[in-house]
Amino acid sequence: MTLTEKVSFTAQLQKNHTVQAPKLIRWRFKLDNNQPLKIGVNFLGQHKNWQFFYTKMRKDGRITIPKLILSLFENQETSLTGNAAEITLEPA
């Protein structure tokens, strides 16, 4: 069974530009690492638009956010590591 509907959750940006999908979401939808997903990212506390990209989830449930997407949110002085982000997962 693969993801068939849009799912949203809040996660903290970890080092190496990754976020981890909650285990309950991975179990509920039986997410596997070979399903292509459309990922939406919006950092909380910023008035930026949603940014979307396509990727696959790693075996440990982590999703790597591309540097280009992060550069649209970051300033020259600040890093987003540790900040909360709203994440949406959709089937591609």
Side-chain angles (χ1 to χ4, degrees):
M1 182 177 169
T2 59
L3 184 67
T4 57
E5 61 187 68
K6 184 176 180 178
V7 179
S8 296
F9 61 91
T10 304
Q12 185 177 21
L13 183 65
Q14 301 171 349
K15 63 180 181 178
N16 298 328
H17 315 294
T18 60
V19 292
Q20 187 163 12
K23 198 175 276 190
L24 291 176
I25 290 176
R26 294 191 324 245
W27 286 350
R28 178 179 175 200
F29 295 103
K30 296 179 177 66
L31 291 176
D32 51 358
N33 59 345
N34 60 1
Q35 179 184 7
L37 300 170
K38 179 180 178 185
I39 310 294
V41 179
N42 189 19
F43 282 91
L44 301 177
Q46 294 191 2
H47 300 290
K48 305 272 184 168
N49 292 334
W50 282 86
Q51 297 298 322
F52 295 93
F53 60 97
Y54 293 92
T55 191
K56 293 181 182 179
M57 187 180 300
R58 296 188 336 203
K59 288 183 181 181
D60 60 359
R62 286 186 169 85
I63 300 164
T64 303
I65 300 175
K67 288 184 181 181
L68 176 62
I69 300 296
L70 288 177
S71 70
L72 296 173
F73 289 104
E74 288 182 335
N75 294 340
Q76 296 293 342
E77 309 86 37
T78 60
S79 172
L80 291 173
T81 302
N83 288 356
E86 189 175 354
I87 309 293
T88 61
L89 305 177
E90 297 179 51

